[in-house]
């Protein structure tokens, strides 16, 4: 007779996380009101949801944003990229960045990989997605190339 493990629940890296209301609200403030240049999100394993880790004021630069990402831990981020088209029009595109440096823990990589789609579905209005394991994969030139 096969053994049954019903009722035996243990959080694991493949279960995915919920998305905090504050996370969605902060994204909407970036998208609609331009209150932030960027927002960085992290997974709070105790709360089992994606929460806001840090946000940057509209005057902050792309360098400020990349410097805010941890060197050896995963994060999600959205960045509001302003640029001028060849026709001289001011435009803005929102980038979703899945930051997962190669030096981060395997568990963190799995947790962030399995939770990403759920977060993306909650953040309506993202134009482009970038997956980066090192800073060169999300260089400012990469954003410029995608946005045009």
């Amino acid at each position: 007779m096969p053994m049954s493990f019903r009722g035996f629940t243990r959080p694991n890296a493949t279960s995915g996380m919920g998305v905090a209301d504050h996370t969605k609200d902060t994204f909407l403030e970036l998208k609609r009101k331009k209150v932030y240049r960027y927002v960085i999100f992290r997974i709070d394993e105790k709360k089992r949801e994606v929460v806001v880790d840090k946000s940057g004021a509209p005057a902050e630069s792309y360098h400020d944003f990349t410097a805010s990402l941890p060197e050896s831990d995963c994060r999600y981020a959205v960045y509001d990229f302003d640029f001028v088209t060849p026709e001289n029009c001011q435009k803005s595109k929102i980038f979703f960045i899945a930051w997962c440096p190669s030096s981060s823990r395997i568990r963190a990589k799995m947790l962030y990989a399995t939770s990403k789609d759920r977060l993306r579905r909650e953040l309506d209005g993202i134009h482009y997605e970038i997956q980066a394991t090192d800073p060169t994969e999300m260089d400012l030139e990469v954003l410029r190339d995608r946005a045009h």
Side-chain angles (χ1 to χ4, degrees), residues 8-9 14 20 23 26 30 43 49 54 57 79 86-87 89 100 103 107 110-112 125 133:
F8 178 77
T9 57
T14 58
T23 297
T26 305
L30 172 141
I43 290 177
E49 62 185 9
K54 183 182 191 315
Y79 186 84
E87 298 79 31
C89 294
C100 211
S103 57
R107 177 177 167 75
M110 286 174 53
L111 206 49
Y112 277 77
T133 56

Side-chain angles (χ1 to χ4, degrees), residues 22-36 122-124:
H22 179 66
T23 297
K24 294 180 250 185
D25 295 343
T26 305
F27 172 74
L28 288 174
E29 288 176 348
L30 172 141
K31 178 181 153 185
R32 293 187 185 145
K33 300 178 186 167
K34 304 288 186 187
V35 175
Y36 307 108
E122 298 284 348
L123 306 182
D124 185 42

Side-chain angles (χ1 to χ4, degrees), residues 61-76:
S61 70
Y62 191 69
H63 176 76
D64 296 329
F65 162 65
T66 56
S68 298
L69 292 168
E71 264 181 52
S72 58
D73 201 3
C74 303
R75 290 292 185 272
Y76 303 117

Side-chain angles (χ1 to χ4, degrees), residues 62-128:
Y62 191 69
H63 176 76
D64 296 329
F65 162 65
T66 56
S68 298
L69 292 168
E71 264 181 52
S72 58
D73 201 3
C74 303
R75 290 292 185 272
Y76 303 117
V78 287
Y79 186 84
D80 190 3
F81 180 63
D82 292 331
F83 63 99
V84 178
T85 67
E87 298 79 31
N88 215 22
C89 294
Q90 185 70 39
K91 293 266 189 171
S92 172
K93 297 285 182 188
I94 298 174
F95 280 80
F96 177 88
I97 298 166
W99 170 246
C100 211
S102 12
S103 57
S104 52
R105 298 179 349 256
I106 300 262
R107 177 177 167 75
K109 289 178 189 176
M110 286 174 53
L111 206 49
Y112 277 77
T114 56
S115 301
K116 181 181 66 117
D117 289 342
R118 168 81 191 275
L119 177 62
R120 274 293 313 267
R121 280 196 305 272
E122 298 284 348
L123 306 182
D124 185 42
I126 288 170
H127 300 103
Y128 301 102

Side-chain angles (χ1 to χ4, degrees), residues 42-62:
R42 68 178 173 79
I43 290 177
D44 183 324
E45 288 195 57
K46 285 186 177 53
K47 290 183 179 173
R48 303 203 40 76
E49 62 185 9
V50 179
V51 298
V52 173
D53 190 36
K54 183 182 191 315
S55 55
E60 288 197 43
S61 70
Y62 191 69

